[in-house]
Amino acid sequence: MEALIKAEDIRKLYPVKRGVFGKTEWLKAVDGVSISVSENSVLGIVGESGSGKSTLARIIMALIEPTSGRVLFQGRDVFGLNKAELKAFRRAVQIIFQDPFASLNPRRTVFDTIAEPLKIHHLAQNGGVRDRAVQLLRDVGLGPEVLTRYPHEFSGGQRQRICIARALAVSPRLIVADEPLSALDVSIQAQILNILRELKERERISYIFISHDLRVVEYISDEVAVMYLGRIVEQADAEELFKRPLHPYTEGLLASVPELVPGKPRRQAPKGDVPSPVDIPPGCPFHPRCPKRFGPCDKIVPRFTSSPQSDGRLVACHLWNPAE
């Protein structure tokens, strides 16, 4: 399928100065990442804290510029768009943030919050604005009585529903969901997740779904990309990846998920701490923590590619893509 949005070789470096007279070093937040999302599909992105997931999301949203690389929306580079084209892009691509309270203006009522994008993009006028706001709230399981209330009057789950309604107001084609469930209770997480799935089926919305919760990603995603220290180390169909992970880091992430079946054999979780993104180890970035490391791992950066050994799946590991 043709890609709706595509990121090509994205890099984002931040200067870091150690001490007053220290030399400037570079923190590699995102290091050569390429992804694409098709119409009516969900790409899940997983990885530990500091792996670059949120930075990548903000680059895709054109909220921050990459150091190098480009983001293409329907074949157009989003960082080369003029003002009118960028406004159209903002309408087509929306974001749901991790903290629903921080992403809502405490001085605005629910009606003001949802009406603003409708007015900016001229999608409704006069009485039609209220009717559209009521419909959007019903789509996320809230009634018209909440229109005059303020964010502090709601629970976390209700606030996240309002954020989803605001994102849906402009009929987007893609929603970037950056840890949208992490601040919510488990029971509320299930409700929000079901709303997102229902909206995908009904409105044919695509998602980039970023989370550290592997069970959630498995439930909602069609394809999953695993990030480590700013790079994608494995990408595959969601069902295949969770059934048979290839990269040792992916195996370790799955081993960290509590098993509900007693006595089931467990994979080995990764040991040690994540290295600093300012001082990434040579060779494979994961090799200091990898239980399967061997000869070339600490010397040669593995290629992120498919091979006959990996059954055609994309993986950056010398076990599957031997160094030449």
Side-chain angles (χ1 to χ4, degrees), residues 133-263:
V134 169
Q135 182 58 53
L136 288 164
L137 288 171
R138 284 178 174 153
D139 286 344
V140 297
L142 295 172
E145 68 278 0
V146 307
L147 283 173
T148 57
R149 293 165 60 184
Y150 291 86
H152 71 272
E153 300 180 65
F154 298 95
S155 67
Q158 289 173 321
R159 286 195 288 262
Q160 196 63 293
R161 290 170 189 249
I162 294 166
C163 291
I164 295 171
R166 178 179 59 184
L168 291 173
V170 293
S171 301
R173 301 184 63 185
L174 172 73
I175 291 178
V176 178
D178 186 9
E179 298 274 10
L181 309 179
S182 61
L184 307 177
D185 294 336
V186 174
S187 60
I188 305 301
Q189 288 182 10
Q191 296 174 22
I192 300 298
L193 199 59
N194 287 330
I195 288 172
L196 294 175
R197 284 197 66 170
E198 290 169 7
L199 291 170
K200 173 183 178 291
E201 298 302 322
R202 187 171 74 241
E203 308 291 340
R204 297 187 63 81
I205 298 172
S206 299
Y207 293 100
I208 295 177
F209 193 93
I210 298 169
S211 179
H212 63 274
D213 190 327
L214 293 164
R215 294 304 182 199
V216 168
V217 171
E218 181 181 14
Y219 177 74
I220 198 171
S221 301
D222 299 307
E223 190 175 11
V224 177
V226 181
M227 289 191 70
Y228 184 76
L229 280 179
R231 301 178 181 179
I232 295 178
V233 297
E234 183 170 0
Q235 186 170 341
D237 174 84
E239 184 176 352
E240 291 181 5
L241 186 136
F242 281 92
K243 185 184 298 182
R244 181 173 169 259
L246 298 185
H247 198 283
Y249 178 61
T250 310
E251 291 183 348
L253 286 181
L254 293 179
S256 67
V257 178
E259 292 287 354
L260 299 179
V261 181

